[in-house]
């Protein structure tokens, strides 16, 4: 199996999972969005080794991204508005991975913006780290 280059990965947001998505501009990295599932330890006095069962709940975790920050860019202004709003709205996020040979791989999840942290360096570009707390079940598809 060949490694897949991350260049060309697109993060977008929408009001609904099947709606029209808006690509986020100037993204430099995306992290998270992975799923986890808890377990319960059911080891007992007659066990011969540790025993676990799945607790049945899927947790989508957090999605974080870094951008070259442009305060006037509409898709980045969306995140600053979401974090400062008294009534933020649940949004859907889609990551489209650049899979070779004509295949499309997407990860769709819902979440709330919970972090927005601009950063300034003396001899560097303005950047911003954004955190999204995911909720509900995420879907990963390839077509």
């Amino acid at each position: 199996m060949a490694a897949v280059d991350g260049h060309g990965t697109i993060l977008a947001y929408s009001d609904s999972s099947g709606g029209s998505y808006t690509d986020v501009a100037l993204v430099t990295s995306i992290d998270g969005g992975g799923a986890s599932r808890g377990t319960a330890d059911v080891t007992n006095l007659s066990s011969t080794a540790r025993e676990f069962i799945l607790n049945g709940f899927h947790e989508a975790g957090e999605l974080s991204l870094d951008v070259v920050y442009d305060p006037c860019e509409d898709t980045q202004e969306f995140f600053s508005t979401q974090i400062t709003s008294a009534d933020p709205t649940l949004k859907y996020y889609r990551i489209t991975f650049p899979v070779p040979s004509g295949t499309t791989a997407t990860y769709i999840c819902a979440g709330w913006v919970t972090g927005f942290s601009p950063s300034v360096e003396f001899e560097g570009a303005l950047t911003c780290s954004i955190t999204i707390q995911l909720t509900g079940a995420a879907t990963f598809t390839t077509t």
Side-chain angles (χ1 to χ4, degrees), residues 35-75:
S36 66
R37 184 180 302 269
T39 59
D41 185 344
V42 294
T43 307
N44 58 69
L45 295 176
S46 63
S47 296
T48 59
R50 298 289 277 181
E51 298 178 31
F52 295 90
I53 60 169
L54 294 176
N55 74 0
F57 290 105
H58 163 253
E59 182 178 332
E62 285 185 338
L63 181 67
S64 61
L65 61 139
D66 292 317
V67 298
V68 175
Y69 184 46
D70 178 352
C72 298
E73 202 287 315
D74 290 343
T75 62

Short mmCIF file of all heavy atoms in Angstrom, two decimals, residues 35-75:
data_model
loop_
_atom_site.label_atom_id
_atom_site.label_comp_id
_atom_site.label_asym_id
_atom_site.label_seq_id
_atom_site.Cartn_x
_atom_site.Cartn_y
_atom_site.Cartn_z
N ALA A 35 -12.37 8.39 16.05
CA ALA A 35 -13.40 7.86 16.94
C ALA A 35 -12.79 6.99 18.03
O ALA A 35 -11.72 6.42 17.85
CB ALA A 35 -14.40 7.04 16.13
N SER A 36 -13.49 6.93 19.13
CA SER A 36 -13.09 6.01 20.19
C SER A 36 -14.35 5.42 20.81
O SER A 36 -15.45 5.94 20.64
CB SER A 36 -12.25 6.73 21.26
OG SER A 36 -13.03 7.69 21.93
N ARG A 37 -14.17 4.33 21.50
CA ARG A 37 -15.29 3.67 22.16
C ARG A 37 -14.78 3.20 23.50
O ARG A 37 -13.71 2.60 23.60
CB ARG A 37 -15.77 2.49 21.33
CG ARG A 37 -17.00 1.81 21.89
CD ARG A 37 -17.45 0.64 21.03
NE ARG A 37 -17.73 1.00 19.66
CZ ARG A 37 -18.95 1.37 19.22
NH1 ARG A 37 -19.95 1.43 20.04
NH2 ARG A 37 -19.12 1.67 17.95
N GLY A 38 -15.53 3.46 24.54
CA GLY A 38 -15.14 3.06 25.88
C GLY A 38 -15.34 1.58 26.13
O GLY A 38 -16.03 0.89 25.39
N THR A 39 -14.70 1.10 27.17
CA THR A 39 -14.85 -0.29 27.58
C THR A 39 -15.15 -0.34 29.07
O THR A 39 -14.90 0.62 29.80
CB THR A 39 -13.57 -1.10 27.31
OG1 THR A 39 -12.48 -0.51 28.03
CG2 THR A 39 -13.24 -1.15 25.83
N ALA A 40 -15.67 -1.45 29.50
CA ALA A 40 -15.90 -1.68 30.92
C ALA A 40 -15.12 -2.92 31.33
O ALA A 40 -15.13 -3.94 30.63
CB ALA A 40 -17.39 -1.88 31.18
N ASP A 41 -14.44 -2.82 32.44
CA ASP A 41 -13.67 -3.95 32.97
C ASP A 41 -14.65 -4.89 33.66
O ASP A 41 -15.32 -4.51 34.62
CB ASP A 41 -12.61 -3.44 33.94
CG ASP A 41 -11.69 -4.54 34.44
OD1 ASP A 41 -12.02 -5.74 34.29
OD2 ASP A 41 -10.63 -4.18 34.99
N VAL A 42 -14.76 -6.11 33.17
CA VAL A 42 -15.67 -7.10 33.76
C VAL A 42 -14.89 -8.28 34.34
O VAL A 42 -15.44 -9.38 34.53
CB VAL A 42 -16.74 -7.58 32.75
CG1 VAL A 42 -17.68 -6.44 32.38
CG2 VAL A 42 -16.09 -8.18 31.50
N THR A 43 -13.60 -8.06 34.61
CA THR A 43 -12.79 -9.11 35.22
C THR A 43 -13.39 -9.45 36.59
O THR A 43 -13.77 -8.57 37.35
CB THR A 43 -11.33 -8.62 35.40
OG1 THR A 43 -10.86 -8.14 34.14
CG2 THR A 43 -10.44 -9.73 35.91
N ASN A 44 -13.48 -10.73 36.87
CA ASN A 44 -14.06 -11.15 38.15
C ASN A 44 -13.18 -12.21 38.80
O ASN A 44 -12.14 -12.58 38.25
CB ASN A 44 -15.50 -11.66 37.94
CG ASN A 44 -15.54 -12.80 36.96
OD1 ASN A 44 -15.06 -13.89 37.25
ND2 ASN A 44 -16.09 -12.55 35.77
N LEU A 45 -13.57 -12.68 39.93
CA LEU A 45 -12.74 -13.60 40.70
C LEU A 45 -12.51 -14.94 40.01
O LEU A 45 -11.55 -15.64 40.33
CB LEU A 45 -13.34 -13.82 42.09
CG LEU A 45 -13.36 -12.57 42.98
CD1 LEU A 45 -14.06 -12.88 44.30
CD2 LEU A 45 -11.95 -12.05 43.21
N SER A 46 -13.35 -15.30 39.06
CA SER A 46 -13.13 -16.57 38.35
C SER A 46 -12.44 -16.36 36.99
O SER A 46 -12.21 -17.32 36.27
CB SER A 46 -14.46 -17.31 38.16
OG SER A 46 -15.33 -16.55 37.36
N SER A 47 -12.10 -15.12 36.65
CA SER A 47 -11.42 -14.83 35.38
C SER A 47 -10.00 -15.38 35.41
O SER A 47 -9.35 -15.40 36.45
CB SER A 47 -11.36 -13.32 35.14
OG SER A 47 -12.66 -12.79 35.00
N THR A 48 -9.53 -15.81 34.24
CA THR A 48 -8.15 -16.27 34.12
C THR A 48 -7.26 -15.20 33.48
O THR A 48 -6.05 -15.37 33.40
CB THR A 48 -8.08 -17.55 33.27
OG1 THR A 48 -8.62 -17.28 31.98
CG2 THR A 48 -8.84 -18.69 33.95
N ALA A 49 -7.87 -14.10 33.04
CA ALA A 49 -7.16 -12.95 32.47
C ALA A 49 -8.10 -11.75 32.53
O ALA A 49 -9.30 -11.91 32.83
CB ALA A 49 -6.77 -13.23 31.03
N ARG A 50 -7.58 -10.56 32.25
CA ARG A 50 -8.43 -9.37 32.24
C ARG A 50 -9.49 -9.52 31.16
O ARG A 50 -9.21 -10.02 30.06
CB ARG A 50 -7.60 -8.12 31.94
CG ARG A 50 -6.53 -7.81 32.97
CD ARG A 50 -7.07 -7.35 34.28
NE ARG A 50 -7.37 -5.93 34.25
CZ ARG A 50 -7.84 -5.28 35.30
NH1 ARG A 50 -8.06 -5.92 36.42
NH2 ARG A 50 -8.09 -4.02 35.23
N GLU A 51 -10.71 -9.11 31.46
CA GLU A 51 -11.82 -9.20 30.52
C GLU A 51 -12.49 -7.84 30.40
O GLU A 51 -12.69 -7.14 31.40
CB GLU A 51 -12.85 -10.22 31.00
CG GLU A 51 -12.31 -11.63 31.10
CD GLU A 51 -13.34 -12.60 31.64
OE1 GLU A 51 -14.55 -12.39 31.40
OE2 GLU A 51 -12.94 -13.55 32.32
N PHE A 52 -12.81 -7.46 29.17
CA PHE A 52 -13.45 -6.17 28.91
C PHE A 52 -14.61 -6.35 27.96
O PHE A 52 -14.63 -7.26 27.13
CB PHE A 52 -12.45 -5.19 28.26
CG PHE A 52 -11.31 -4.83 29.17
CD1 PHE A 52 -10.15 -5.57 29.18
CD2 PHE A 52 -11.42 -3.75 30.03
CE1 PHE A 52 -9.09 -5.24 30.01
CE2 PHE A 52 -10.37 -3.40 30.86
CZ PHE A 52 -9.20 -4.15 30.86
N ILE A 53 -15.60 -5.47 28.05
CA ILE A 53 -16.69 -5.41 27.09
C ILE A 53 -16.79 -3.97 26.59
O ILE A 53 -16.38 -3.03 27.28
CB ILE A 53 -18.04 -5.86 27.67
CG1 ILE A 53 -18.44 -4.98 28.86
CG2 ILE A 53 -18.02 -7.33 28.06
CD1 ILE A 53 -19.87 -5.18 29.32
N LEU A 54 -17.33 -3.80 25.40
CA LEU A 54 -17.57 -2.46 24.88
C LEU A 54 -18.78 -1.87 25.59
O LEU A 54 -19.75 -2.56 25.86
CB LEU A 54 -17.84 -2.52 23.38
CG LEU A 54 -16.67 -2.96 22.50
CD1 LEU A 54 -17.12 -3.05 21.05
CD2 LEU A 54 -15.51 -1.99 22.64
N ASN A 55 -18.72 -0.57 25.89
CA ASN A 55 -19.87 0.03 26.56
C ASN A 55 -20.93 0.49 25.57
O ASN A 55 -21.97 0.97 25.95
CB ASN A 55 -19.44 1.18 27.48
CG ASN A 55 -19.04 2.42 26.72
OD1 ASN A 55 -19.08 2.46 25.50
ND2 ASN A 55 -18.68 3.46 27.45
N GLY A 56 -20.66 0.37 24.28
CA GLY A 56 -21.67 0.66 23.27
C GLY A 56 -21.69 2.10 22.79
O GLY A 56 -22.34 2.42 21.81
N PHE A 57 -21.01 3.02 23.46
CA PHE A 57 -21.05 4.41 23.04
C PHE A 57 -19.84 4.77 22.20
O PHE A 57 -18.71 4.45 22.53
CB PHE A 57 -21.11 5.35 24.25
CG PHE A 57 -22.42 5.29 24.96
CD1 PHE A 57 -22.53 4.65 26.18
CD2 PHE A 57 -23.55 5.87 24.41
CE1 PHE A 57 -23.74 4.58 26.83
CE2 PHE A 57 -24.76 5.80 25.05
CZ PHE A 57 -24.86 5.15 26.27
N HIS A 58 -20.09 5.44 21.12
CA HIS A 58 -19.06 5.91 20.20
C HIS A 58 -18.82 7.38 20.52
O HIS A 58 -19.77 8.14 20.65
CB HIS A 58 -19.60 5.73 18.77
CG HIS A 58 -18.85 6.52 17.75
ND1 HIS A 58 -19.38 7.63 17.15
CD2 HIS A 58 -17.63 6.35 17.21
CE1 HIS A 58 -18.52 8.11 16.29
NE2 HIS A 58 -17.45 7.35 16.30
N GLU A 59 -17.58 7.77 20.67
CA GLU A 59 -17.26 9.17 20.91
C GLU A 59 -16.41 9.69 19.75
O GLU A 59 -15.35 9.13 19.46
CB GLU A 59 -16.50 9.36 22.22
CG GLU A 59 -16.22 10.82 22.50
CD GLU A 59 -15.52 11.03 23.83
OE1 GLU A 59 -15.69 10.23 24.75
OE2 GLU A 59 -14.79 12.02 23.91
N ALA A 60 -16.88 10.75 19.12
CA ALA A 60 -16.18 11.28 17.96
C ALA A 60 -14.97 12.13 18.35
O ALA A 60 -14.09 12.35 17.54
CB ALA A 60 -17.14 12.10 17.10
N GLY A 61 -14.92 12.64 19.57
CA GLY A 61 -13.76 13.40 20.04
C GLY A 61 -13.75 14.84 19.58
O GLY A 61 -14.79 15.48 19.46
N GLU A 62 -12.56 15.35 19.28
CA GLU A 62 -12.38 16.73 18.85
C GLU A 62 -11.71 16.77 17.49
O GLU A 62 -10.93 15.89 17.14
CB GLU A 62 -11.50 17.51 19.83
CG GLU A 62 -12.16 17.89 21.11
CD GLU A 62 -11.27 18.77 21.98
OE1 GLU A 62 -10.04 18.76 21.81
OE2 GLU A 62 -11.84 19.46 22.83
N LEU A 63 -12.00 17.83 16.78
CA LEU A 63 -11.35 18.12 15.52
C LEU A 63 -10.63 19.45 15.71
O LEU A 63 -11.19 20.40 16.25
CB LEU A 63 -12.42 18.27 14.43
CG LEU A 63 -11.98 18.56 13.01
CD1 LEU A 63 -11.21 17.37 12.44
CD2 LEU A 63 -13.19 18.84 12.14
N SER A 64 -9.36 19.48 15.37
CA SER A 64 -8.63 20.75 15.48
C SER A 64 -7.97 21.05 14.15
O SER A 64 -7.60 20.14 13.41
CB SER A 64 -7.60 20.71 16.61
OG SER A 64 -6.65 19.71 16.40
N LEU A 65 -7.87 22.33 13.84
CA LEU A 65 -7.24 22.73 12.60
C LEU A 65 -6.44 24.00 12.82
O LEU A 65 -6.71 24.77 13.74
CB LEU A 65 -8.27 22.94 11.49
CG LEU A 65 -9.34 24.01 11.71
CD1 LEU A 65 -9.56 24.78 10.43
CD2 LEU A 65 -10.62 23.32 12.12
N ASP A 66 -5.43 24.16 11.99
CA ASP A 66 -4.63 25.37 11.98
C ASP A 66 -4.80 26.02 10.62
O ASP A 66 -4.87 25.32 9.59
CB ASP A 66 -3.15 25.05 12.22
CG ASP A 66 -2.90 24.54 13.63
OD1 ASP A 66 -3.47 25.12 14.58
OD2 ASP A 66 -2.15 23.58 13.79
N VAL A 67 -4.87 27.35 10.63
CA VAL A 67 -5.02 28.10 9.38
C VAL A 67 -4.03 29.25 9.36
O VAL A 67 -3.59 29.72 10.41
CB VAL A 67 -6.46 28.64 9.20
CG1 VAL A 67 -7.48 27.52 9.13
CG2 VAL A 67 -6.82 29.62 10.31
N VAL A 68 -3.69 29.69 8.15
CA VAL A 68 -3.01 30.97 7.99
C VAL A 68 -4.16 31.97 8.16
O VAL A 68 -5.11 31.97 7.38
CB VAL A 68 -2.36 31.10 6.60
CG1 VAL A 68 -1.76 32.49 6.43
CG2 VAL A 68 -1.30 30.03 6.41
N TYR A 69 -4.08 32.77 9.22
CA TYR A 69 -5.23 33.57 9.64
C TYR A 69 -5.38 34.87 8.86
O TYR A 69 -4.47 35.68 8.79
CB TYR A 69 -5.13 33.86 11.13
CG TYR A 69 -6.30 34.60 11.71
CD1 TYR A 69 -7.60 34.24 11.42
CD2 TYR A 69 -6.10 35.67 12.57
CE1 TYR A 69 -8.68 34.91 11.96
CE2 TYR A 69 -7.17 36.35 13.13
CZ TYR A 69 -8.46 35.97 12.81
OH TYR A 69 -9.52 36.64 13.35
N ASP A 70 -6.55 35.03 8.27
CA ASP A 70 -6.94 36.27 7.60
C ASP A 70 -8.27 36.70 8.24
O ASP A 70 -9.31 36.12 7.93
CB ASP A 70 -7.10 36.05 6.10
CG ASP A 70 -7.56 37.28 5.36
OD1 ASP A 70 -7.91 38.30 6.01
OD2 ASP A 70 -7.58 37.25 4.12
N PRO A 71 -8.26 37.69 9.14
CA PRO A 71 -9.47 38.08 9.86
C PRO A 71 -10.62 38.52 8.95
O PRO A 71 -11.77 38.52 9.37
CB PRO A 71 -9.01 39.26 10.73
CG PRO A 71 -7.54 39.11 10.84
CD PRO A 71 -7.09 38.46 9.56
N CYS A 72 -10.32 38.89 7.72
CA CYS A 72 -11.36 39.36 6.79
C CYS A 72 -11.86 38.25 5.86
O CYS A 72 -12.76 38.49 5.04
CB CYS A 72 -10.83 40.53 5.96
SG CYS A 72 -10.38 41.95 6.97
N GLU A 73 -11.30 37.06 5.94
CA GLU A 73 -11.69 35.96 5.07
C GLU A 73 -12.97 35.34 5.61
O GLU A 73 -13.06 34.99 6.79
CB GLU A 73 -10.55 34.93 5.00
CG GLU A 73 -10.57 34.04 3.78
CD GLU A 73 -11.66 33.01 3.84
OE1 GLU A 73 -11.82 32.39 4.90
OE2 GLU A 73 -12.36 32.84 2.83
N ASP A 74 -14.00 35.23 4.78
CA ASP A 74 -15.34 34.81 5.23
C ASP A 74 -15.37 33.48 5.97
O ASP A 74 -16.04 33.35 6.99
CB ASP A 74 -16.30 34.73 4.04
CG ASP A 74 -16.66 36.11 3.49
OD1 ASP A 74 -16.43 37.12 4.18
OD2 ASP A 74 -17.15 36.16 2.34
N THR A 75 -14.67 32.46 5.46
CA THR A 75 -14.76 31.15 6.09
C THR A 75 -14.05 31.12 7.44
O THR A 75 -14.38 30.31 8.30
CB THR A 75 -14.23 30.02 5.19
OG1 THR A 75 -12.85 30.23 4.92
CG2 THR A 75 -15.01 29.96 3.88
#
